[in-house]
Amino acid sequence: MSAGDATTSATTTATTTAAARAAAAPPAGARRPARRPRRRRRGPSAYAVLVGMAALAGIMLIPFVVVVFNALKTPAEYTANGPLAPPEGLYLGGMRDFWERVGFGRVLFNSFLISASVAVGAVLLSVLNAYALGIGRVKGRMWVLVALLMANTLPQEALVYPLFYLSKQVGLYDTRLGVIIVFTVIQSAFGTYLLSSVLSTFPRPLLEAARIDGAGRWQILWRVVVPVVRPTLSVLLVFFFIWTWNEFLIPLVFLQSNDNQTVSVALGVLHGQRLMDATMSSAAALLGLIPTVVFFLVFQRTLSRGLTAGAIK
């Protein structure tokens, strides 16, 4: 091979290599794919925490499992094998008897109506109060928050007689509306205290921009403030519903007739009268627990988003 041929061959090879590199390179202005971050290997402490949390969750589920076992047993099977033995079959007689004895469909509707109304009403009232206290900066704001905080520490036993006397005077005794009003005010005290602390740190540039655009106070509230704090409102809605569903003392005092009783009151009254055996008691407890579990599972994603909304800005 001559020197000219060698030079031509080398030039051709270099040109081919450069063309291949240019074809493989990303176009101008295109971003290079980001490198995937290396996953950190979990140490022994992380696995120990995971095992501990799993064990704690298992311990917390033991009472629920025992209730399910006893709800599916016959009275004879419960007497023979005890409360911790799994059921030998699927017995739904206890649930059916309890459902027919208390009219559980009506009781379930009462509890859902009261809990849902209180949750929505308490959230709306909390938003209005917190908007005035947290953003409006009304006079005596600190004293109002202190009064709300002290109101949250009062036991319900201290409120029963004044509320009972007042409901008698205004004709709201033994009505679902009276219980809804009482719990809406009680729950909104906590909601106002929580939302006031959240709205006190609300970004002022957003409010100023809305005012420059000509938005009024109501428009700022519903179009600027509420969308920003919506995760917190969703958490309050879930909590208020579950808290109201589990209330016993005030519904027991205020709801005297069977047509207005809630699930917790119906369970307490039948236990007090000793009209149920152990299997029917477990069946009643399971029926009363299922709606709250379903509600929590449905809104679990909303609850988790609301709890972690302020973690990342």
Side-chain angles (χ1 to χ4, degrees):
M1 181 182 295
S2 62
D5 295 338
T7 304
T8 303
S9 178
T11 304
T12 304
T13 303
T15 304
T16 304
T17 305
R21 289 179 180 178
R31 296 181 178 179
R32 296 183 178 179
R35 295 181 179 179
R36 294 182 180 180
R38 296 181 180 179
R39 296 181 179 179
R40 291 185 177 182
R41 295 183 179 181
R42 295 180 179 178
S45 59
Y47 287 103
V49 172
L50 182 61
V51 171
M53 295 298 293
L56 182 61
I59 294 174
M60 295 177 64
L61 288 176
I62 289 177
F64 179 76
V65 174
V66 173
V67 169
V68 173
F69 281 176
N70 294 328
L72 301 178
K73 293 179 184 178
T74 63
E77 185 179 352
Y78 177 85
T79 304
N81 300 330
L84 300 181
E88 298 177 357
L90 188 63
Y91 176 74
L92 302 178
M95 296 184 184
R96 183 178 62 252
D97 294 341
F98 173 75
W99 189 291
E100 296 175 353
R101 181 173 297 181
V102 302
F104 192 74
R106 180 190 69 254
V107 171
L108 189 65
F109 173 76
N110 292 336
S111 290
F112 181 81
L113 177 63
I114 292 174
S115 301
S117 301
V118 169
V120 175
V123 168
L124 290 177
L125 187 58
S126 301
V127 168
L128 296 177
N129 295 338
Y131 182 64
L133 296 174
I135 294 180
R137 299 290 183 177
V138 298
K139 294 182 179 180
R141 168 181 174 271
M142 185 58 63
W143 293 106
V144 174
L145 293 179
V146 170
L148 293 175
L149 182 60
M150 294 180 63
N152 288 322
T153 62
L154 289 176
Q156 291 188 0
E157 291 79 3
L159 303 174
V160 166
Y161 180 74
L163 294 175
F164 172 80
Y165 181 78
L166 181 61
S167 64
K168 281 281 191 179
Q169 295 297 319
V170 299
L172 291 177
Y173 180 71
D174 197 18
T175 61
R176 291 172 295 190
L177 179 60
V179 176
I180 290 173
I181 293 175
V182 170
F183 279 128
T184 298
V185 175
I186 292 176
Q187 306 288 21
S188 64
F190 173 78
T192 301
Y193 176 78
L194 178 64
L195 285 178
S196 297
S197 61
V198 174
L199 295 184
S200 62
T201 59
F202 195 86
R204 296 293 170 178
L206 292 179
L207 303 177
E208 295 298 334
R211 292 191 184 99
I212 293 174
D213 291 340
R217 294 182 178 179
W218 284 102
Q219 292 176 333
I220 292 175
L221 172 61
W222 298 113
R223 296 185 180 181
V224 178
V225 176
V226 171
V228 173
V229 299
R230 186 177 298 171
T232 306
L233 300 182
S234 63
V235 172
L236 287 178
L237 184 70
V238 175
F239 281 169
F240 288 164
F241 183 92
I242 296 177
W243 291 347
T244 307
W245 184 281
N246 294 327
E247 289 291 344
F248 175 73
L249 180 60
I250 290 180
L252 177 65
V253 176
F254 278 71
L255 302 176
Q256 185 178 9
S257 61
N258 295 331
D259 294 336
N260 296 326
Q261 286 182 351
T262 60
V263 173
S264 58
V265 175
L267 290 173
V269 169
L270 286 182
H271 278 294
Q273 296 175 353
R274 297 181 180 179
L275 297 177
M276 297 189 297
D277 52 23
T279 56
M280 189 182 297
S281 299
S282 300
L286 183 61
L287 287 176
L289 185 62
I290 286 176
T292 55
V293 173
V294 172
F295 181 84
F296 178 79
L297 293 177
V298 170
F299 291 94
Q300 181 182 9
R301 181 174 298 180
T302 302
L303 183 62
S304 60
R305 287 178 180 177
L307 291 176
T308 59
I312 301 176
K313 294 184 180 180

